[in-house]
Amino acid sequence: MVNHRCAVLGKPIAHSLSPVLHNAAYRSLGLNDWFYDKHEVGEEELDSFLKGLDPSWAGLSLTMPLKKTIQPYGVPSNLWAKELRIANTAVFDWEQATYDNPAWPHGKPCIRLYNTDVVGIQLAFDNANRELGAHHGPDRKHNALIIGNGNTATSAAAACAMMQEIGHVTVAARHPGKNPGLGDVLGRFITTHHPYDEIPLSDAEALLAAAGDATYVINTIPGHAADAVADTLAAAPAGIAPFTGLLLDVVYDPRPTKLMAAWRSRGGRAIGGEEMLLYQALVQVLLMTGIWDDDPPSDADRRLQDTTTEDDHLEIAMRRALEEAL
């Protein structure tokens, strides 16, 4: 019998692997009365969907275009949900529900909003660095390159700001300056004299220079849109120095992406978007199930320092399920 329900919402949603991850987590935790599903819900349908929920619902994952649409319904409850006004996680508190609004026939729960995309990116890099034996001190002496300047790029910028080794971020985008929130985030949290600049994605020379200087590269362009960047890397002069940075491509289909293959061919290391997917979902599980019942860490430090055996088993189970699904 299912007593606790969660789901991912978005449009389109058929491709989502979130149910694979969350249901694997429930099995690992012995939560046999929990179930996670997916529902295709657009911006226009979100209101009616929320008002139709009953107290069996514990939480929701939100994909685009709902990460901003959810804002009027809840209370931002961790650092990046507050700073970015972008939330991919909603947790329901029915103990604080109100029942005086007929539009909410089952009661209106307190909805706490969280952003786990930022910590998902950071944990993906932390895990890759551990596996590679790489260590970077908190000296803000390293550079990062973000490809794209949409909402995912904003979360990527926040992740760079939280990684104490990063002191400068270059954003390469088709339309530089389109997202002023990037500069706001980086300017507030990276205190070096020149934390941020943007370059046109079409400027091959500037792109190659930024890529060569980057300790971390994050591609936030979905689908095959970054294939042109891969072509730029492949067409680079033969004498160009090898790339030494670590690339995270948020895309995970195909595996590897064309960009990942091009990056590796130039000497760099690369991880796919399934790593970010895994870690942002892991934090969501800890929130929705109440294992974290307070404001969770907005960065990865505390979780990495206080890793428990239970967390290890949970992460292993979710990773195994994800690999089987892919």
Side-chain angles (χ1 to χ4, degrees), residues 66-299:
L66 303 179
K67 294 182 180 182
K68 289 189 175 180
T69 312
I70 191 67
Q71 295 298 320
Y73 298 93
V75 179
S77 298
N78 73 336
L79 173 62
W80 293 114
K82 295 173 184 176
E83 289 285 340
L84 306 181
R85 306 297 295 183
I86 298 172
N88 70 328
T89 308
V91 178
F92 303 129
D93 183 352
W94 290 95
E95 292 184 359
Q96 296 190 38
T98 58
Y99 297 90
D100 56 355
N101 188 339
W104 296 76
H106 305 290
K108 183 180 180 181
C110 172
I111 302 176
R112 296 191 176 94
L113 302 178
Y114 300 91
N115 183 311
T116 73
D117 285 333
V118 174
V119 70
I121 293 170
Q122 187 179 358
L123 285 168
F125 277 111
D126 288 343
N127 181 68
N129 282 330
R130 287 198 306 274
E131 292 188 345
L132 295 169
H135 176 72
H136 306 294
D139 52 16
R140 295 290 186 191
K141 292 183 178 180
H142 296 261
N143 301 319
L145 168 65
I146 297 173
I147 301 170
N149 63 353
N151 286 326
T152 304
T154 305
S155 291
C160 289
M162 295 307 295
M163 293 187 282
Q164 297 294 311
E165 60 268 39
I166 298 301
H168 179 266
V169 177
T170 298
V171 175
R174 292 188 185 92
H175 304 289
K178 186 178 180 180
N179 183 355
L182 291 167
D184 293 341
V185 168
L186 293 166
R188 282 200 305 275
F189 290 91
I190 297 180
T191 57
T192 57
H193 72 283
H194 183 52
Y196 163 76
D197 60 12
E198 289 197 43
I199 60 173
L201 198 56
S202 58
D203 188 337
E205 183 177 354
L207 179 63
L208 290 171
D213 288 339
T215 297
Y216 300 137
V217 179
I218 307 172
N219 172 49
T220 68
I221 303 176
H224 290 275
D227 288 357
V229 180
D231 292 337
T232 298
L233 298 181
I240 192 171
F243 296 144
T244 59
L246 174 62
L247 164 71
L248 167 63
D249 191 340
V250 299
V251 180
Y252 53 85
D253 184 20
R255 299 176 71 206
T257 63
K258 186 175 181 181
L259 179 59
M260 291 172 66
W263 187 259
R264 288 168 175 165
S265 74
R266 290 287 177 173
R269 294 184 170 95
I271 55 177
E274 68 275 6
E275 292 294 310
M276 173 186 172
L277 181 67
L278 168 66
Y279 286 111
Q280 62 85 23
L282 173 60
V283 179
Q284 286 184 333
V285 169
L286 295 171
L287 287 167
M288 292 179 186
T289 59
I291 293 174
W292 281 351
D293 59 0
D294 199 354
D295 184 14
S298 296
D299 57 70

